[in-house]
Amino acid sequence: EIASSTVESKPLDCLRLKVKCPAELDSEGVKAEFSKISAVNSVQLVPDKKAPGNNVAYLTFESFLDAALAYETAKPDHKAKFAKIKPRKVSLETPQPQDAKSFFRPFTRRRSSTMIPATKLTVLCSSTLTQNQIWRLFDIIPGLMNCSVSHDGGSVGIATVTYNNAQSAKYAREKLHKFEYPMGEKIIVKDAIDDVK
């Protein structure tokens, strides 16, 4: 969902969720409910224009993994979805600092010295898959920095996928291990190893 939003030029914020909630639930109540699952940084309540008498809460999370877990475990009534990224107001006089959380960039991404050391995964996949296809699959999880694929002429290809933080790598390993891609063939995702037999 996040990856496809960038293609449509309406990028979603992978740290913010938009959820429906009853009017009697204040911001502290919403925060307490979601804090049982994830680390919530802040909650902003606004009236729900589509359902008068109810509110819409915008929750900002500590990390993408926190937001993803909250998204997956939210109650159906919450109708949780990732919020759209707000357009930034740019001043012509004051230079704008670069956003350290610029997750969506094409192919190889430069690492900032302040980032957590890169985390690599080894992916066993069909030899028919290209580097671009592997990239698009793993770019669903924010933080992807690099992807390389090697083929030895057999039916199995070996890819190395690099993220800029351990949380994204762990989430990718949990969600994409044994994922059918292409249909009928499952990919194997493991922590990076030097020798793959």
Side-chain angles (χ1 to χ4, degrees):
E1 184 178 357
I2 292 171
S4 62
S5 74
T6 63
V7 177
E8 295 168 4
S9 300
K10 295 179 181 178
L12 297 174
D13 190 336
C14 55
L15 295 179
R16 291 175 71 236
L17 285 187
K18 177 182 178 181
V19 302
K20 305 266 187 180
C21 55
E24 60 267 18
L25 202 62
D26 61 10
S27 58
E28 288 302 315
V30 175
K31 186 174 183 178
E33 184 172 341
F34 280 87
S35 292
K36 296 174 185 176
I37 306 161
S38 301
V40 181
N41 273 354
S42 64
V43 176
Q44 178 188 6
L45 279 180
V46 295
D48 189 346
K49 296 177 182 178
K50 295 181 180 179
N54 292 325
N55 289 328
V56 172
Y58 289 90
L59 296 93
T60 304
F61 292 86
E62 197 72 39
S63 69
F64 165 68
L65 183 59
D66 288 308
L69 290 173
Y71 173 76
E72 291 181 348
T73 55
K75 297 174 182 176
D77 294 345
H78 286 310
K79 296 182 180 178
K81 60 183 179 179
F82 285 94
K84 293 177 182 176
I85 292 178
K86 292 181 179 178
R88 291 171 176 266
K89 293 181 180 178
V90 179
S91 169
L92 297 177
E93 299 175 2
T94 308
Q96 296 295 310
Q98 287 189 347
D99 187 2
K101 295 186 178 69
S102 297
F103 293 121
F104 305 105
R105 295 178 185 170
F107 281 83
T108 302
R109 296 162 185 176
R110 295 180 181 178
R111 277 168 45 201
S112 164
S113 58
T114 59
M115 284 184 176
I116 300 171
T119 304
K120 291 185 178 181
L121 298 173
T122 294
V123 182
L124 304 182
C125 58
S126 168
S127 60
T128 61
L129 294 179
T130 65
Q131 178 175 321
N132 189 46
Q133 288 174 311
I134 295 293
W135 174 275
R136 287 179 178 275
L137 176 63
F138 282 84
D139 199 32
I140 292 169
I141 286 87
L144 184 62
M145 290 173 51
N146 192 276
C147 171
S148 61
V149 180
S150 62
H151 301 292
D152 59 3
S155 61
V156 178
I158 300 171
T160 301
V161 177
T162 308
Y163 285 94
N164 63 16
N165 66 86
Q167 280 189 320
S168 290
K170 178 185 177 184
Y171 194 74
R173 190 176 67 244
E174 291 175 353
K175 292 296 175 184
L176 296 176
H177 179 57
K178 294 187 177 180
F179 182 76
E180 280 198 24
Y181 191 64
M183 290 297 289
E185 298 187 45
K186 293 182 180 180
I187 63 172
I188 304 298
V189 184
K190 299 180 178 181
D191 289 325
I193 50 179
D194 297 326
D195 182 29
V196 180
K197 295 184 179 179

